[in-house]
Amino acid sequence: LPGQTIYLLGTTEDELDGSAWADVVHGHLGGVPPKYRPAAERGLAEILINASRDGMIDAAHDLSEGGLAQALVESSLRWGAGARVWLTELLERDGIDLFTALFSESTARAIVAVPRSEEVRFSDMCTARRFPFVRIGMTDTGDESHANALEFVDHFTLTLEELSDAHRAALP
C-alpha cells in the first residue's frame, strides 16, 4: 500500500538448505531445514492478530518460501506499488550478509505495512512483547522518482515491469 513503513518481524539466520533458492539454482532440496521456533511463531501470531485487529497494519506477508526477496516482490506486484528498502540495520543486527537477508527461509518472520500514523503504537507493542523487529523500508507514494520499482538502496533496483515479466516467466 502506498506511503507505508515496512517492518520485518523476527530474526534471520543463515538457513538456505532446501530453500526455494537452493531448489531453483542448484536443484537441491536436502540439508538442514530451518529451525522450528514454536515460542517465536506464537509471538509472531499474537502480534499479527493484535496489530490487525487494532488497525496498526494494513498488510502482512510471511517470509517462508523464497524469503524476504520473494515476499517483497509478491507484495509489490500485488499492490502495484514499489518500495525503497534499506537492509543495513537488519544485516548488522542479525550478523548476516545481503544474500542471506534476501533468501533465508528462517521461520517466525513476516513483513508488515504500517501506516505512518501507527508506527509508534506498533513499535511499542513489539517492544513490550520483546519480539524482534526492524524498520526496513517505505512503500512508494507514487510521486518519487523511483516509483514503480523495488529499490534495495545501495545494492540494486528492479522495476515492477521487470519483476512482473520474471514472475510470469517462472510460472509453469
Side-chain angles (χ1 to χ4, degrees):
L1 300 169
Q4 300 207 355
T5 304
I6 305 167
Y7 285 89
L8 185 149
L9 302 172
T11 57
T12 305
E13 295 185 30
D14 188 356
E15 296 180 302
L16 296 160
D17 287 353
S19 66
W21 168 82
D23 182 31
V24 170
V25 176
H26 299 291
H28 172 71
L29 289 175
V32 179
K35 292 179 197 135
Y36 176 53
R37 300 171 178 91
E41 292 282 0
R42 187 172 35 261
L44 176 63
E46 289 171 0
I47 286 173
L48 293 173
I49 289 166
N50 289 310
S52 177
R53 180 196 65 219
D54 295 346
M56 288 186 258
I57 60 174
D58 284 340
H61 196 299
D62 70 284
L63 299 185
S64 57
E65 187 177 359
L68 177 61
Q70 186 67 26
L72 288 168
V73 167
E74 289 175 357
S75 297
S76 291
L77 292 176
R78 175 164 191 236
W79 297 106
R84 294 190 79 198
V85 177
W86 300 268
L87 296 176
T88 304
E89 187 176 345
L90 173 66
L91 301 180
E92 291 172 1
R93 184 196 73 177
D94 291 351
I96 55 175
D97 60 21
L98 178 65
F99 185 84
T100 301
L102 292 174
F103 297 105
S104 175
E105 294 182 358
S106 294
T107 60
R109 297 180 311 140
I111 54 171
V112 293
V114 178
R116 290 183 182 166
S117 62
E118 296 297 329
E119 283 189 73
V120 171
R121 223 167 45 117
F122 178 77
S123 62
D124 286 350
M125 181 185 63
C126 292
T127 300
R129 292 172 181 268
R130 296 182 183 169
F131 197 86
F133 69 100
V134 62
R135 180 180 183 262
I136 62 165
M138 296 293 297
T139 61
D140 290 334
T141 59
D143 58 357
E144 294 95 351
S145 61
H146 58 277
N148 296 317
L150 183 54
E151 177 185 0
F152 291 88
V153 176
D154 297 329
H155 299 289
F156 60 91
T157 300
L158 297 165
T159 67
L160 294 187
E161 184 178 352
E162 290 170 317
L163 294 171
S164 180
D165 291 347
H167 187 65
R168 272 195 306 277
L171 295 175

Short mmCIF file of all heavy atoms in Angstrom, two decimals, residues 100-141:
data_model
loop_
_atom_site.label_atom_id
_atom_site.label_comp_id
_atom_site.label_asym_id
_atom_site.label_seq_id
_atom_site.Cartn_x
_atom_site.Cartn_y
_atom_site.Cartn_z
N THR A 100 21.91 -13.71 2.37
CA THR A 100 21.15 -14.41 3.42
C THR A 100 19.91 -13.61 3.80
O THR A 100 18.83 -14.18 3.97
CB THR A 100 22.05 -14.66 4.65
OG1 THR A 100 23.18 -15.44 4.24
CG2 THR A 100 21.30 -15.38 5.75
N ALA A 101 20.05 -12.30 3.91
CA ALA A 101 18.90 -11.45 4.25
C ALA A 101 17.79 -11.60 3.22
O ALA A 101 16.61 -11.65 3.57
CB ALA A 101 19.33 -9.99 4.35
N LEU A 102 18.14 -11.70 1.97
CA LEU A 102 17.15 -11.77 0.90
C LEU A 102 16.51 -13.15 0.74
O LEU A 102 15.33 -13.25 0.43
CB LEU A 102 17.77 -11.34 -0.44
CG LEU A 102 18.16 -9.88 -0.55
CD1 LEU A 102 18.89 -9.62 -1.87
CD2 LEU A 102 16.94 -8.99 -0.42
N PHE A 103 17.27 -14.22 0.95
CA PHE A 103 16.78 -15.55 0.58
C PHE A 103 16.62 -16.57 1.70
O PHE A 103 16.06 -17.64 1.47
CB PHE A 103 17.65 -16.14 -0.53
CG PHE A 103 17.60 -15.32 -1.79
CD1 PHE A 103 18.67 -14.52 -2.15
CD2 PHE A 103 16.47 -15.33 -2.59
CE1 PHE A 103 18.62 -13.74 -3.30
CE2 PHE A 103 16.41 -14.56 -3.74
CZ PHE A 103 17.49 -13.76 -4.10
N SER A 104 17.08 -16.26 2.91
CA SER A 104 16.91 -17.20 4.01
C SER A 104 15.43 -17.48 4.25
O SER A 104 14.58 -16.60 4.09
CB SER A 104 17.53 -16.63 5.29
OG SER A 104 17.25 -17.50 6.39
N GLU A 105 15.14 -18.69 4.64
CA GLU A 105 13.76 -19.07 4.93
C GLU A 105 13.56 -19.36 6.43
O GLU A 105 12.79 -20.22 6.82
CB GLU A 105 13.34 -20.25 4.05
CG GLU A 105 13.29 -19.86 2.59
CD GLU A 105 12.83 -20.96 1.64
OE1 GLU A 105 12.57 -22.09 2.09
OE2 GLU A 105 12.74 -20.67 0.44
N SER A 106 14.28 -18.60 7.26
CA SER A 106 14.11 -18.73 8.71
C SER A 106 12.64 -18.59 9.07
O SER A 106 11.91 -17.80 8.46
CB SER A 106 14.92 -17.65 9.44
OG SER A 106 16.30 -17.83 9.25
N THR A 107 12.22 -19.35 10.06
CA THR A 107 10.81 -19.35 10.47
C THR A 107 10.50 -18.16 11.38
O THR A 107 11.39 -17.41 11.79
CB THR A 107 10.48 -20.65 11.21
OG1 THR A 107 11.32 -20.75 12.37
CG2 THR A 107 10.69 -21.87 10.31
N ALA A 108 9.22 -18.02 11.70
CA ALA A 108 8.72 -17.00 12.64
C ALA A 108 9.08 -15.58 12.19
O ALA A 108 9.48 -14.75 12.98
CB ALA A 108 9.22 -17.27 14.06
N ARG A 109 8.92 -15.33 10.87
CA ARG A 109 9.20 -14.00 10.33
C ARG A 109 8.09 -13.56 9.40
O ARG A 109 7.45 -14.38 8.74
CB ARG A 109 10.52 -13.98 9.56
CG ARG A 109 11.73 -14.29 10.39
CD ARG A 109 13.02 -14.26 9.59
NE ARG A 109 12.89 -15.04 8.37
CZ ARG A 109 13.39 -14.67 7.19
NH1 ARG A 109 14.07 -13.57 7.04
NH2 ARG A 109 13.22 -15.44 6.12
N ALA A 110 7.90 -12.25 9.32
CA ALA A 110 6.93 -11.67 8.39
C ALA A 110 7.33 -10.23 8.13
O ALA A 110 8.10 -9.63 8.88
CB ALA A 110 5.52 -11.71 8.99
N ILE A 111 6.82 -9.69 7.02
CA ILE A 111 6.91 -8.25 6.80
C ILE A 111 5.50 -7.69 6.95
O ILE A 111 4.52 -8.39 6.67
CB ILE A 111 7.51 -7.87 5.43
CG1 ILE A 111 6.76 -8.54 4.27
CG2 ILE A 111 9.00 -8.13 5.39
CD1 ILE A 111 7.16 -8.04 2.89
N VAL A 112 5.43 -6.46 7.42
CA VAL A 112 4.15 -5.79 7.58
C VAL A 112 4.24 -4.37 7.05
O VAL A 112 5.31 -3.76 7.07
CB VAL A 112 3.67 -5.76 9.06
CG1 VAL A 112 3.34 -7.16 9.55
CG2 VAL A 112 4.69 -5.10 9.95
N ALA A 113 3.11 -3.88 6.55
CA ALA A 113 2.99 -2.48 6.11
C ALA A 113 2.23 -1.73 7.20
O ALA A 113 1.09 -2.08 7.52
CB ALA A 113 2.25 -2.40 4.78
N VAL A 114 2.89 -0.73 7.77
CA VAL A 114 2.34 0.02 8.89
C VAL A 114 2.09 1.47 8.45
O VAL A 114 3.03 2.14 8.00
CB VAL A 114 3.31 0.00 10.09
CG1 VAL A 114 2.78 0.82 11.26
CG2 VAL A 114 3.60 -1.44 10.52
N PRO A 115 0.85 1.95 8.59
CA PRO A 115 0.62 3.36 8.28
C PRO A 115 1.49 4.24 9.19
O PRO A 115 1.72 3.90 10.35
CB PRO A 115 -0.87 3.57 8.61
CG PRO A 115 -1.46 2.20 8.61
CD PRO A 115 -0.36 1.27 9.02
N ARG A 116 1.97 5.35 8.66
CA ARG A 116 2.85 6.21 9.44
C ARG A 116 2.23 6.63 10.76
O ARG A 116 2.92 6.76 11.76
CB ARG A 116 3.25 7.42 8.61
CG ARG A 116 4.19 7.04 7.48
CD ARG A 116 4.66 8.23 6.69
NE ARG A 116 5.50 7.77 5.59
CZ ARG A 116 5.84 8.52 4.58
NH1 ARG A 116 5.42 9.77 4.51
NH2 ARG A 116 6.61 8.04 3.63
N SER A 117 0.92 6.82 10.77
CA SER A 117 0.23 7.24 12.00
C SER A 117 0.24 6.17 13.08
O SER A 117 -0.04 6.46 14.25
CB SER A 117 -1.22 7.63 11.68
OG SER A 117 -1.91 6.49 11.16
N GLU A 118 0.59 4.92 12.73
CA GLU A 118 0.56 3.81 13.68
C GLU A 118 1.95 3.30 14.07
O GLU A 118 2.06 2.36 14.85
CB GLU A 118 -0.26 2.65 13.11
CG GLU A 118 -1.72 2.98 12.88
CD GLU A 118 -2.46 3.31 14.17
OE1 GLU A 118 -2.10 2.77 15.25
OE2 GLU A 118 -3.39 4.13 14.11
N GLU A 119 3.00 3.93 13.55
CA GLU A 119 4.35 3.42 13.79
C GLU A 119 4.72 3.35 15.26
O GLU A 119 5.28 2.36 15.72
CB GLU A 119 5.39 4.25 13.04
CG GLU A 119 5.44 3.95 11.57
CD GLU A 119 6.61 4.62 10.91
OE1 GLU A 119 7.75 4.16 11.14
OE2 GLU A 119 6.40 5.61 10.19
N VAL A 120 4.42 4.39 16.03
CA VAL A 120 4.79 4.41 17.44
C VAL A 120 4.04 3.32 18.19
O VAL A 120 4.64 2.55 18.96
CB VAL A 120 4.54 5.80 18.07
CG1 VAL A 120 4.72 5.76 19.58
CG2 VAL A 120 5.46 6.83 17.43
N ARG A 121 2.75 3.23 17.98
CA ARG A 121 1.95 2.21 18.65
C ARG A 121 2.42 0.81 18.29
O ARG A 121 2.53 -0.07 19.14
CB ARG A 121 0.47 2.39 18.27
CG ARG A 121 -0.46 2.26 19.43
CD ARG A 121 -1.87 2.73 19.16
NE ARG A 121 -2.50 2.33 17.93
CZ ARG A 121 -3.60 1.57 17.86
NH1 ARG A 121 -4.19 1.15 18.93
NH2 ARG A 121 -4.12 1.28 16.69
N PHE A 122 2.72 0.60 16.99
CA PHE A 122 3.17 -0.71 16.54
C PHE A 122 4.52 -1.08 17.16
O PHE A 122 4.70 -2.18 17.70
CB PHE A 122 3.25 -0.77 15.02
CG PHE A 122 3.75 -2.07 14.49
CD1 PHE A 122 2.92 -3.18 14.45
CD2 PHE A 122 5.06 -2.21 14.06
CE1 PHE A 122 3.38 -4.41 14.00
CE2 PHE A 122 5.53 -3.44 13.60
CZ PHE A 122 4.69 -4.53 13.57
N SER A 123 5.48 -0.17 17.09
CA SER A 123 6.81 -0.48 17.64
C SER A 123 6.74 -0.65 19.17
O SER A 123 7.44 -1.50 19.72
CB SER A 123 7.84 0.56 17.23
OG SER A 123 7.51 1.83 17.72
N ASP A 124 5.89 0.12 19.84
CA ASP A 124 5.72 -0.05 21.29
C ASP A 124 5.16 -1.44 21.61
O ASP A 124 5.59 -2.07 22.59
CB ASP A 124 4.79 1.02 21.86
CG ASP A 124 5.45 2.39 21.97
OD1 ASP A 124 6.68 2.49 21.77
OD2 ASP A 124 4.72 3.37 22.25
N MET A 125 4.22 -1.93 20.80
CA MET A 125 3.65 -3.25 21.04
C MET A 125 4.72 -4.33 20.87
O MET A 125 4.83 -5.24 21.69
CB MET A 125 2.49 -3.53 20.08
CG MET A 125 1.86 -4.89 20.33
SD MET A 125 0.58 -5.37 19.16
CE MET A 125 1.50 -5.42 17.63
N CYS A 126 5.52 -4.24 19.81
CA CYS A 126 6.58 -5.22 19.58
C CYS A 126 7.61 -5.19 20.72
O CYS A 126 8.04 -6.24 21.22
CB CYS A 126 7.28 -4.97 18.25
SG CYS A 126 6.24 -5.30 16.81
N THR A 127 7.97 -3.98 21.14
CA THR A 127 8.94 -3.83 22.23
C THR A 127 8.39 -4.41 23.52
O THR A 127 9.09 -5.14 24.23
CB THR A 127 9.30 -2.34 22.41
OG1 THR A 127 9.88 -1.86 21.20
CG2 THR A 127 10.28 -2.15 23.56
N ALA A 128 7.12 -4.11 23.83
CA ALA A 128 6.50 -4.62 25.06
C ALA A 128 6.46 -6.14 25.07
O ALA A 128 6.59 -6.77 26.12
CB ALA A 128 5.09 -4.05 25.21
N ARG A 129 6.30 -6.75 23.90
CA ARG A 129 6.23 -8.21 23.80
C ARG A 129 7.62 -8.83 23.61
O ARG A 129 7.75 -10.04 23.45
CB ARG A 129 5.32 -8.62 22.65
CG ARG A 129 3.86 -8.26 22.91
CD ARG A 129 3.02 -8.50 21.67
NE ARG A 129 1.65 -8.15 21.90
CZ ARG A 129 0.71 -8.99 22.32
NH1 ARG A 129 1.02 -10.24 22.56
NH2 ARG A 129 -0.52 -8.58 22.51
N ARG A 130 8.64 -7.99 23.58
CA ARG A 130 10.03 -8.42 23.39
C ARG A 130 10.20 -9.25 22.13
O ARG A 130 10.94 -10.24 22.10
CB ARG A 130 10.52 -9.17 24.61
CG ARG A 130 10.56 -8.29 25.82
CD ARG A 130 11.08 -8.99 27.02
NE ARG A 130 11.01 -8.05 28.14
CZ ARG A 130 11.18 -8.36 29.38
NH1 ARG A 130 11.46 -9.61 29.70
NH2 ARG A 130 11.08 -7.47 30.33
N PHE A 131 9.49 -8.82 21.08
CA PHE A 131 9.59 -9.51 19.80
C PHE A 131 10.48 -8.68 18.88
O PHE A 131 10.26 -7.48 18.71
CB PHE A 131 8.21 -9.72 19.15
CG PHE A 131 8.25 -10.76 18.08
CD1 PHE A 131 8.09 -12.10 18.40
CD2 PHE A 131 8.48 -10.41 16.75
CE1 PHE A 131 8.16 -13.09 17.42
CE2 PHE A 131 8.54 -11.39 15.77
CZ PHE A 131 8.38 -12.73 16.10
N PRO A 132 11.50 -9.28 18.27
CA PRO A 132 12.43 -8.52 17.42
C PRO A 132 11.74 -7.97 16.17
O PRO A 132 10.97 -8.66 15.50
CB PRO A 132 13.51 -9.53 17.04
CG PRO A 132 12.99 -10.87 17.41
CD PRO A 132 11.84 -10.70 18.35
N PHE A 133 12.04 -6.70 15.88
CA PHE A 133 11.50 -6.05 14.69
C PHE A 133 12.52 -5.03 14.21
O PHE A 133 13.34 -4.55 14.98
CB PHE A 133 10.15 -5.39 14.97
CG PHE A 133 10.24 -4.20 15.88
CD1 PHE A 133 10.23 -2.91 15.37
CD2 PHE A 133 10.34 -4.36 17.26
CE1 PHE A 133 10.32 -1.80 16.21
CE2 PHE A 133 10.43 -3.27 18.11
CZ PHE A 133 10.42 -1.99 17.59
N VAL A 134 12.46 -4.72 12.92
CA VAL A 134 13.34 -3.71 12.35
C VAL A 134 12.63 -3.04 11.18
O VAL A 134 11.95 -3.69 10.40
CB VAL A 134 14.70 -4.33 11.92
CG1 VAL A 134 14.54 -5.38 10.85
CG2 VAL A 134 15.69 -3.27 11.49
N ARG A 135 12.76 -1.74 11.13
CA ARG A 135 12.20 -0.96 10.03
C ARG A 135 13.12 -1.15 8.84
O ARG A 135 14.31 -0.86 8.92
CB ARG A 135 12.13 0.52 10.44
CG ARG A 135 11.57 1.43 9.40
CD ARG A 135 11.59 2.87 9.97
NE ARG A 135 10.99 3.80 9.07
CZ ARG A 135 11.69 4.57 8.22
NH1 ARG A 135 13.00 4.51 8.19
NH2 ARG A 135 11.06 5.40 7.43
N ILE A 136 12.56 -1.64 7.72
CA ILE A 136 13.42 -1.92 6.56
C ILE A 136 13.08 -1.08 5.34
O ILE A 136 13.81 -1.14 4.35
CB ILE A 136 13.43 -3.41 6.18
CG1 ILE A 136 12.04 -3.88 5.76
CG2 ILE A 136 14.02 -4.26 7.29
CD1 ILE A 136 12.04 -5.21 5.03
N GLY A 137 11.98 -0.32 5.36
CA GLY A 137 11.70 0.44 4.15
C GLY A 137 10.40 1.20 4.19
O GLY A 137 9.70 1.25 5.20
N MET A 138 10.11 1.78 3.03
CA MET A 138 8.88 2.55 2.82
C MET A 138 8.31 2.17 1.46
O MET A 138 9.04 2.03 0.49
CB MET A 138 9.18 4.05 2.81
CG MET A 138 9.72 4.63 4.10
SD MET A 138 8.53 4.62 5.44
CE MET A 138 7.26 5.70 4.83
N THR A 139 6.98 2.04 1.42
CA THR A 139 6.34 1.83 0.14
C THR A 139 6.23 3.18 -0.56
O THR A 139 6.16 4.23 0.09
CB THR A 139 4.95 1.20 0.28
OG1 THR A 139 4.12 2.06 1.05
CG2 THR A 139 5.04 -0.16 0.94
N ASP A 140 6.24 3.16 -1.88
CA ASP A 140 6.19 4.39 -2.66
C ASP A 140 4.83 5.07 -2.53
O ASP A 140 3.80 4.42 -2.41
CB ASP A 140 6.45 4.10 -4.14
CG ASP A 140 7.89 3.70 -4.40
OD1 ASP A 140 8.77 4.09 -3.62
OD2 ASP A 140 8.11 3.00 -5.40
N THR A 141 4.88 6.39 -2.61
CA THR A 141 3.65 7.16 -2.62
C THR A 141 3.21 7.46 -4.04
O THR A 141 2.13 7.99 -4.26
CB THR A 141 3.82 8.49 -1.85
OG1 THR A 141 4.86 9.24 -2.47
CG2 THR A 141 4.14 8.23 -0.39
#
